[in-house]
Amino acid sequence: MVRNEVEAVLKLADTLNHRVLYFPAPLGSGTTATRVFGQTSFLEGGRGLSSAALTLPTAVAFDAGDNIYVADTGNSRILAFGPLRDLPAAGAAALASGAAPLGQPDFVTSAGATAHNRLRSPTALAVNWTNGEIWVADTGNHRVLRFPPLGTLAVTGGAAYASGGLFGQVNFTARTPNLGAPAPGQTSPAGLSFPNAVALDGENNLLVGDGNSRVLLFFPQAVSVSAATFLAGAPLAPGMLASLFGTELGEQTGAAGLPLPMWEYDVSRLS
């Protein structure tokens, strides 16, 4: 269930009726849905597999352009609909990320798989309103994936980022629960087991609801380098944290003339 704070509307995943309902403002106990996704009418409730059908949807998200994203769990895919103003009251067809939905090669395949562009029973998702990136709890693969924005997925073939796009596994073909745990039945800081919730905080740090009865917080990618070898042209991206170590570093002086504090510098200030 997602509430759009801008428009004060409600988008609800009605899982067992294989649909998503849209409730407009003003919201109240008597509010009636005005749009249905996944069914051809408000009176239908069967599962399906097409660009306009859903099977056991479990999560809904939206982006700044009011496109609606649905975790179509039973079909192991993410469907995007929108923008809302252009959609009919029922039977809307999903947008194609290239030529297919996110997580599947086409609109008629539902089997889960493990790859950089495949999903297995995803149950949660979040969209970064700043850059449009899509975060998916790929529950059956014990991982979280980060995908490029909807408008660029055709270029990447619907694949997650090769760098910084995978959490919980060592590569895109592994699906080991609790990766790195010291013994069976134990957990680890980097491993996941059936993650079922994802969210981004105000600093775009990632929070993951893990099946190990815990929530994990992943900070932006960090690097650690020696001040003696640090160069201003080093491959650091906005949002990364760089830790420098060395002698004679102060709050106002640093390598390459940068005003670096002694222990870390948020390179988003360099963007």
Side-chain angles (χ1 to χ4, degrees):
M1 180 175 68
V2 174
R3 185 176 187 270
N4 186 330
E5 297 296 342
V6 177
E7 297 183 359
V9 300
L10 190 69
K11 303 176 181 75
L12 175 69
D14 186 10
T15 304
L16 296 182
N17 285 322
H18 311 290
R19 64 183 185 176
V20 167
L21 297 178
Y22 173 90
F23 295 86
L27 296 174
S29 59
T31 303
T32 301
T34 59
R35 284 183 170 88
V36 58
F37 300 89
Q39 302 294 335
T40 57
S41 76
F42 289 99
L43 302 179
E44 303 295 327
R47 64 178 64 205
L49 178 61
S50 70
S51 62
L54 300 169
T55 296
L56 298 174
T58 56
V60 184
F62 53 92
D63 64 17
D66 215 19
N67 297 303
I68 302 172
Y69 301 74
V70 179
D72 188 15
T73 305
N75 289 324
S76 293
R77 63 186 185 177
I78 303 296
L79 295 185
F81 301 87
L84 183 65
R85 62 182 177 275
D86 299 331
L87 298 179
L95 301 169
S97 57
L102 198 63
Q104 294 291 2
D106 51 51
F107 283 105
V108 294
T109 301
S110 63
T114 309
H116 64 297
N117 59 352
R118 298 298 299 276
L119 297 169
R120 189 185 303 272
S121 302
T123 59
L125 70 157
V127 180
N128 186 321
W129 274 40
T130 302
N131 58 25
E133 291 178 343
I134 306 162
W135 297 78
V136 178
D138 189 12
T139 306
N141 284 324
H142 311 289
R143 65 186 185 179
V144 170
L145 298 181
R146 179 170 67 104
F147 291 91
L150 184 64
T152 64
L153 283 170
V155 178
T156 65
Y161 286 110
S163 177
L166 175 66
F167 298 80
Q169 301 294 335
V170 293
N171 58 54
F172 286 104
T173 59
R175 56 184 300 258
T176 304
N178 295 323
L179 179 71
Q186 297 183 352
T187 61
S188 70
L192 298 170
S193 179
F194 297 105
N196 52 33
V198 289
L200 301 172
D201 67 12
E203 300 297 327
N204 287 327
N205 298 310
L206 172 67
L207 293 98
V208 179
D210 186 20
N212 290 307
S213 300
R214 63 182 183 174
V215 174
L216 297 181
L217 175 61
F218 294 88
F219 290 99
Q221 184 178 356
V223 295
S224 180
V225 296
S226 168
T229 59
F230 178 79
L231 298 174
L236 302 178
M240 294 173 61
L241 298 177
S243 295
L244 298 181
F245 59 93
T247 59
E248 300 181 359
L249 283 176
E251 293 187 2
Q252 301 302 320
T253 62
L258 294 175
L260 302 174
M262 186 175 297
W263 50 92
E264 72 177 21
Y265 185 78
D266 183 350
V267 299
S268 62
R269 302 174 193 172
L270 301 178
S271 61

